Amino acid sequence: MVSLPLQLVVLGAVLGAALAAAALILVSFVAFITAMELPVLHQHEEEKFFLNARGQKETLPSIRDSPTKQLSVVVPSYNEEKRLPVMMDEALGYLEERQKQDPTFTYEVIVVDDGSKDQTSKVAFKYCQKYGSDKVRVITLVKNRGKGGAVKMGVFSSRGENILMADADGATKFRDIEKLEKGLNDLQPWPDQMAIACGSRAHLKKDSIAQRSYFRTLLMYGFHFLVWFLCVKGIRDTQCGFKLLTREAASRTFSSLHIERWAFDVELLYIAQFFKIPIAEIAVNWTEIEGSKLVPFWSWLQMGKDLLFIRLRYMTGAWRLEQTRKMN
């Protein structure tokens, strides 16, 4: 005869499993009914144009157009009037020197002001006046969309054969683009001309842990576990803002993207792995810059929720990826 304490343990385990299953069903249901269809890239009238160096309006191009530059650099910026100049000086210094050494090399830098409340657009526009609007363009969004939404707007207005995402804080040394380019080339032959090279800070993990509090370290490990468990396998650092994509890979992934805030990188790579786009993870130099927009607890909580919903919404069919999907 089974003892009473053992019966209670078994009953508790059964009830716990039942509650966990009920919670998962409830969360899945909430994720399903709150999921939106693939968002159409809505542009306010002011967002369809950029100002050339003379201050005149010109219509932005589309990623549907054939590329006319070798490289597009998309810089999402929100309240970055102080940090942006350091990044732009380094990036443009490198790009100009590279063009001098190789006159066939062509580039553009697209600064996307994500509804900033400071002078980010004015600061960026000074570079447009200095280098010309063929090399530097500023897109000013009417309202804040989130980093993913800002990058998406820049990508869809780019002219490059390859498209680089680069953060406005300049935390990654811009010259490391050469490492990403080599990583991208090493992936050839590219299926349907699609490939992605992701900058990675994973090799710096020990140093970063030494400088972080135990709480932030715990949050970091928890986030990385959720990324691996729910969404993306084989990529140790999904959140580094230094990523290089072929034009075709950018079109395919960003046209399927739902998340517009911090966790957009994870969905981007989830989509890439679904489409079997080859991905290289490349170690880059990185320095933590003061002024991060991430609020340690609440931002990580939001990202954790987004990770769970990414998985559940694709799993339940609320969001779907089709092999033949084209850009909206």
Side-chain angles (χ1 to χ4, degrees), residues 203-325:
H203 62 294
L204 303 172
K205 185 178 289 186
K206 289 183 179 179
D207 292 336
S208 66
I209 289 173
Q211 298 172 11
R212 284 192 174 104
S213 67
Y214 288 117
F215 180 65
R216 291 192 67 184
T217 299
L218 182 64
L219 287 176
M220 179 188 71
Y221 275 117
F223 178 77
H224 288 169
F225 172 76
L226 287 177
V227 169
W228 171 83
F229 183 71
L230 295 172
C231 300
V232 176
K233 303 290 193 294
I235 305 296
R236 297 170 64 198
D237 181 9
T238 59
Q239 300 308 109
C240 181
F242 205 61
K243 293 181 174 68
L244 184 65
L245 302 87
T246 64
R247 188 174 185 83
E248 291 76 9
S251 177
R252 176 64 66 89
T253 53
F254 276 95
S255 64
S256 300
L257 193 71
H258 297 82
I259 301 293
E260 291 196 322
R261 297 202 174 270
W262 297 110
F264 85 96
D265 300 81
V266 177
E267 189 190 4
L268 185 79
L269 295 174
Y270 179 92
I271 293 167
Q273 290 189 336
F274 174 86
F275 287 126
K276 294 181 171 49
I277 297 173
I279 303 171
E281 186 172 15
I282 309 297
V284 295
N285 294 297
W286 185 84
T287 305
E288 188 162 357
I289 307 295
E290 292 184 2
S292 172
K293 306 301 186 299
L294 273 172
V295 181
F297 179 74
W298 295 111
S299 296
W300 289 71
L301 189 64
Q302 175 67 44
M303 286 193 288
K305 187 204 80 172
D306 286 343
L307 293 180
L308 180 60
F309 276 25
I310 288 169
R311 181 61 177 167
L312 291 176
R313 284 170 173 166
Y314 280 116
M315 187 174 69
T316 59
W319 292 348
R320 299 186 182 188
L321 293 172
E322 301 172 8
Q323 293 290 351
T324 57
R325 180 183 289 284

Side-chain angles (χ1 to χ4, degrees), residues 33-259:
I33 64 173
T34 58
M36 296 191 311
E37 293 293 326
L38 184 67
V40 176
L41 185 68
H42 174 70
Q43 288 177 289
H44 292 275
E45 195 62 28
E46 297 90 334
E47 296 172 350
K48 297 178 181 178
F49 305 91
F50 69 96
L51 296 180
N52 62 26
R54 298 185 299 277
Q56 300 168 327
K57 282 187 177 182
E58 290 189 28
T59 304
L60 285 165
S62 168
I63 200 169
R64 298 188 190 95
D65 303 333
S66 298
T68 57
K69 301 287 183 184
Q70 288 184 22
L71 177 68
S72 292
V73 182
V74 177
V75 186
S77 306
Y78 178 67
N79 293 343
E80 292 287 4
E81 64 177 6
K82 294 181 179 179
R83 300 196 299 179
L84 184 62
V86 176
M87 181 271 170
M88 292 290 283
D89 288 341
E90 181 190 4
L92 288 164
Y94 167 83
L95 292 167
E96 285 291 290
E97 182 62 31
R98 181 166 170 174
Q99 193 171 67
K100 286 180 182 177
Q101 296 177 2
D102 178 10
T104 65
F105 173 72
T106 55
Y107 75 88
E108 66 175 347
V109 177
I110 304 171
V111 178
V112 185
D113 180 347
D114 189 20
S116 296
K117 298 176 182 178
D118 64 0
Q119 303 299 309
T120 294
S121 284
K122 289 184 179 180
V123 169
F125 188 67
K126 290 179 181 178
Y127 290 91
C128 172
Q129 292 175 313
K130 180 178 179 179
Y131 292 92
S133 55
D134 188 51
K135 289 184 174 179
V136 180
R137 294 182 174 182
V138 182
I139 302 175
T140 303
L141 304 186
V142 172
K143 64 178 182 178
N144 178 263
R145 294 173 181 261
K147 183 180 178 181
V151 173
K152 188 174 184 177
M153 290 289 285
V155 166
F156 282 2
S157 302
S158 64
R159 296 173 288 165
E161 295 174 4
N162 292 334
I163 301 170
L164 176 74
M165 295 161 42
D167 287 343
D169 61 5
T172 305
K173 293 300 180 185
F174 197 85
R175 184 172 294 276
D176 279 358
I177 186 178
E178 295 176 11
K179 297 180 181 179
L180 298 191
E181 288 172 331
K182 182 180 184 303
L184 206 64
N185 288 331
D186 288 345
L187 293 173
Q188 290 184 338
W190 303 328
D192 298 323
Q193 292 300 304
M194 295 191 295
I196 300 174
C198 298
S200 175
R201 304 158 297 180
H203 62 294
L204 303 172
K205 185 178 289 186
K206 289 183 179 179
D207 292 336
S208 66
I209 289 173
Q211 298 172 11
R212 284 192 174 104
S213 67
Y214 288 117
F215 180 65
R216 291 192 67 184
T217 299
L218 182 64
L219 287 176
M220 179 188 71
Y221 275 117
F223 178 77
H224 288 169
F225 172 76
L226 287 177
V227 169
W228 171 83
F229 183 71
L230 295 172
C231 300
V232 176
K233 303 290 193 294
I235 305 296
R236 297 170 64 198
D237 181 9
T238 59
Q239 300 308 109
C240 181
F242 205 61
K243 293 181 174 68
L244 184 65
L245 302 87
T246 64
R247 188 174 185 83
E248 291 76 9
S251 177
R252 176 64 66 89
T253 53
F254 276 95
S255 64
S256 300
L257 193 71
H258 297 82
I259 301 293

